[in-house]
Amino acid sequence: MIDKQKNLPNRRRGRQTEPKALEEVRTLLGDAPRESELLIEHLHRLQDRFGGLRNVHLTALAQELGLAPVEVFEVAGFYHHFDLLRDSEEPTVLTVRVCDSLSCSLSGAEPLAQELEARFGERVRVQRVSCVGRCASAPVAVVGANPLERATTEVVEAAVEARETHCPIPSPVDYRTYCARGGYGHLRKLQQNDSPDAVEGLIATLERADLRGLGGAGFPAGRKWRVVRSFPGPRLMAVNIDEGEPGTFKDRHHLERGPHRLLEGMLIAARAVEAQAVYIYLRDEYAGCRSMLAAELAALAADPPGPIPPVHLRRGAGAYVCGEESAMLESIEGRRGLPRGRPPYVAQRGLFGRPTLVHNLETLYWIPEILERGSDHFLAMGRNGRKGLRTFSVSGRVRRPGVYRAPAGIAARELIEEYCGGMQEGHRFKAYLPGGASGGILPAELGHLPLDFDTLTEQGCFLGSAALIVLSDRDSVRGATLNALSFFARESCGQCTPCRAGTVRAVELLQQPGCERALLEDLCEVMAEASICGLGQAAANPLRCLLRYFPQELE
Ligand code: SF4
């Protein structure tokens, strides 16, 4: 008989760890914790050090973190910002990312990308990427981590030649200055008295001010606190600064100017729900903000205004879907950003299985001001029957694109005329996207509608992150729709077929001449009804609007 065991070669199955690679990984990680939740952080370290992710390092990292290699490879392969290299492959010398989302596309992103490709050849990798959050200064190209606003071929070339690859670090109102101006006073007040009555009073103030979740969903903030508090602890909190919705850059605007206003709002919320730790998830594109925020968090931790929970700053890796709250939690836990099925909702079982309060930056930004000025002041600010204030990111064909603090309920036409200096020379207002790529597209004739939650539903749209992108008579709405659907196709996590296949099919149909109207309508219905998360459900919105308001562009 043949002894099969003896005849088998003496080899372990699967990828083996190479001692040299393991040593490199160990040296790089130093005494950093080896918890699997830090996988994405460690992948960033590897990539920053070696210019890409090699198989040998991924295998070694898996061993070091006690994970199966497949777990590490699937995470590394999921996020756009990780470059997987073959072991023999040299890392790309330099990458220039050209944003091709709508606002940049309107400002000539594609010709810019083509010129850069022709000029650099193999020397530099030119990538077309989704929105990088600087739409007011389109087109934007990012050299390494250095964002170049109103980019031209010459400007990009100069940065490449000079190896200017670092993102400038903003200089906001720092911790000491914020405190000297009375900052963290409302947190201190809560620390002195956080009895159930005091917390209830705080929640009532936020409710009177009608503070809503300003990441896009608009869920009342106070009610969310109550729900989270109703589940037994320990509880956690997560802050979403992953603004990837094309046309949205308000969170970066607020962060660059005053991070402590956000942090005070965050710590007030954390105290109110008795969160034992807070996780801030910041998009990778905001590298300068990350350095600044890390320094300000260190200053806060060194001399805190009373006892505060530990605050962890986590770095995204270029995946729009991680703006969806459950996908963000998956990413914070070191996994692929795949949205979770519901129920259970994250308020009940969120981060690491604990009840979790999730807020977008802007929601927290308003809290100190509401407490300072009172809910009545806030309520008096609305317009067209709505209440409160919002920050709008405005881009596209207006004279002065930017972030504007304006009354909730202001109409697009009012925003353009009163805040943005009107339309650009030679452009006539034709259409607008009220909520970035996912909020739909409305004709200028509906430019009088109040921009707020619950106001655009009848029109098949929503405000979302309040990212207004303005189109003119020189623009094609069909082209804008194709741009939005291409974005969704690129960013779909692929977990469910209606979204994964539907977005790709919609792009194919829109690229063909003419229009298969019935097929497009069918696609919209399937995506909206059968997708797991908001990405796939909302991907149909621009397409539906194209069919409803701009049928002439489908001929
Ligand atoms: Fe992923 Fe799209 Fe399904 Fe959301 S809808 S889970 S992004 S495939």
Side-chain angles (χ1 to χ4, degrees):
M1 272 178 76
I2 298 172
D3 183 342
K4 288 185 182 167
Q5 290 301 319
K6 276 188 185 165
N7 285 341
L8 280 174
N10 183 19
R11 244 191 292 148
R12 281 184 291 148
R13 298 178 65 199
R15 232 178 253 282
Q16 303 305 303
T17 307
E18 289 187 10
K20 178 169 175 282
L22 185 60
E23 192 48 43
E24 285 172 338
V25 167
R26 284 181 173 156
T27 305
L28 184 67
L29 299 194
D31 56 5
R34 296 321 199 237
E35 276 98 0
S36 62
E37 68 183 69
L38 293 170
L39 172 57
I40 293 170
E41 297 294 314
H42 292 331
L43 288 172
H44 276 302
R45 283 173 180 232
L46 273 175
Q47 173 149 302
D48 291 347
R49 169 68 183 80
F50 295 105
L53 298 174
R54 294 181 191 285
N55 293 339
V56 286
H57 288 137
L58 295 180
T59 309
L61 182 63
Q63 177 173 324
E64 200 58 11
L65 301 188
L67 294 168
V70 66
E71 293 176 271
V72 174
F73 279 80
E74 69 180 12
V75 170
F78 180 82
Y79 293 92
H80 294 312
H81 284 193
F82 291 136
D83 290 332
L84 300 180
L85 302 174
R86 282 187 294 276
D87 289 337
S88 57
E89 196 179 350
E90 284 303 312
T92 309
V93 182
L94 192 57
T95 298
V96 175
R97 297 188 169 102
V98 179
C99 171
D100 68 358
S101 287
L102 185 53
S103 303
C104 282
S105 175
L106 294 174
S107 298
E110 183 51 33
L112 174 66
Q114 287 178 13
E115 269 184 46
L116 292 173
E117 282 170 336
R119 193 151 316 185
F120 292 132
E122 298 288 301
R123 207 155 56 90
V124 171
R125 179 174 57 171
V126 177
Q127 269 186 338
R128 289 155 182 80
V129 298
S130 301
C131 186
V132 296
R134 294 176 185 271
C135 323
S137 312
V140 180
V142 185
V143 177
N146 182 15
L148 301 174
E149 302 185 339
R150 296 184 186 85
T152 62
T153 310
E154 291 69 33
V155 166
V156 174
E157 194 170 27
V160 167
E161 298 307 336
R163 287 291 184 270
E164 290 166 353
T165 57
H166 293 289
C167 185
I169 299 174
S171 310
V173 174
D174 64 8
Y175 181 52
R176 192 181 292 245
T177 310
Y178 185 76
C179 291
R181 293 178 184 171
Y184 289 102
H186 296 288
L187 175 65
R188 284 201 182 87
K189 224 183 270 179
L190 185 62
Q191 286 167 338
Q192 284 154 15
N193 178 11
D194 64 353
S195 65
D197 282 352
V199 172
E200 190 47 48
L202 181 61
I203 291 176
T205 303
L206 300 184
E207 285 182 334
R208 268 198 307 279
D210 196 25
L211 182 66
R212 311 274 291 260
L214 297 167
F219 193 84
R223 199 191 311 162
K224 199 185 259 191
W225 293 15
R226 277 211 183 88
V227 173
V228 173
R229 277 169 63 84
S230 72
F231 293 108
R235 306 182 192 103
L236 296 170
M237 178 174 180
V239 181
N240 188 342
I241 320 181
D242 194 50
E243 59 174 2
E245 183 69 43
T248 313
F249 43 98
K250 64 188 171 72
D251 289 352
R252 179 179 59 77
H253 172 95
H254 290 313
L255 198 53
E256 286 179 349
R257 283 154 185 79
H260 289 286
R261 194 169 147 169
L262 146 76
L263 296 177
E264 182 173 8
M266 174 187 88
L267 292 172
I268 289 170
R271 183 84 180 198
V273 302
E274 296 167 17
Q276 298 206 338
V278 182
Y279 292 77
I280 300 177
Y281 190 83
L282 178 65
R283 70 182 309 208
D284 196 32
E285 287 81 350
Y286 295 170
C289 285
R290 187 169 60 251
S291 303
M292 175 274 289
L293 193 53
E296 294 303 321
L297 283 169
L300 175 67
D303 181 21
I308 60 171
V311 180
H312 306 276
L313 179 57
R314 290 292 168 82
R315 180 176 172 185
Y320 165 75
V321 71
C322 290
E324 196 277 343
E325 63 178 6
S326 66
M328 178 186 72
L329 300 186
E330 287 288 306
S331 189
I332 292 174
E333 292 181 17
R335 290 195 287 270
R336 292 175 294 166
L338 301 181
R340 298 174 182 170
R342 296 177 179 82
Y345 292 91
V346 302
Q348 180 182 4
R349 197 184 312 158
L351 199 50
F352 306 114
R354 307 309 319 167
T356 304
L357 177 69
V358 178
H359 272 312
N360 158 262
L361 180 152
E362 194 195 342
T363 315
L364 301 167
Y365 164 87
W366 288 112
I367 292 173
E369 182 164 336
I370 291 172
L371 299 179
E372 187 68 39
R373 300 188 170 201
S375 45
D376 289 346
H377 171 84
F378 200 70
L379 286 179
M381 294 293 178
R383 195 186 283 195
N384 297 322
R386 313 297 296 181
K387 293 171 181 171
L389 285 168
R390 303 274 181 269
T391 38
F392 292 87
S393 313
V394 189
S395 61
R397 303 299 192 186
V398 294
R399 273 183 210 270
R400 290 196 303 270
V403 171
Y404 295 103
R405 191 179 140 115
I410 192 169
R413 207 174 267 286
E414 294 170 329
L415 203 49
I416 294 168
E417 294 302 326
E418 296 173 32
Y419 289 78
C420 304
M423 297 292 289
Q424 286 173 6
E425 190 67 35
H427 289 262
R428 196 164 44 79
F429 183 28
K430 172 181 174 180
Y432 64 106
L433 289 79
S438 55
I441 307 178
L442 291 169
E445 299 76 64
L446 296 179
H448 62 283
L449 294 173
L451 296 175
D452 200 7
F453 299 115
D454 320 322
T455 55
L456 303 173
T457 320
E458 252 178 58
Q459 287 73 31
C461 293
F462 63 76
L463 184 66
S465 58
L468 188 81
I469 306 176
V470 180
L471 305 180
S472 80
D473 55 340
R474 298 195 193 173
D475 301 319
S476 152
V477 174
R478 181 177 183 147
T481 307
L482 176 58
N483 184 289
L485 265 299
S486 303
F487 165 78
F488 291 125
R490 180 194 284 163
E491 297 297 334
S492 167
C493 81
Q495 193 176 191
C496 59
T497 309
C499 169
R500 184 185 64 244
T503 50
V504 171
R505 186 73 184 116
V507 167
E508 288 169 357
L509 290 170
L510 285 170
Q511 282 172 333
Q512 292 165 10
C515 161
E516 294 193 49
R517 193 180 174 100
L519 194 48
L520 285 172
E521 281 171 351
D522 197 35
L523 264 181
C524 287
E525 192 177 336
V526 173
M527 284 194 287
E529 299 298 325
S531 295
I532 291 178
C533 84
L535 188 153
Q537 292 157 9
N541 286 342
L543 198 47
R544 278 187 165 149
C545 289
L546 176 69
L547 292 161
R548 179 171 171 183
Y549 300 112
F550 306 93
Q552 68 282 5
E553 296 204 19
L554 287 164
E555 303 307 317

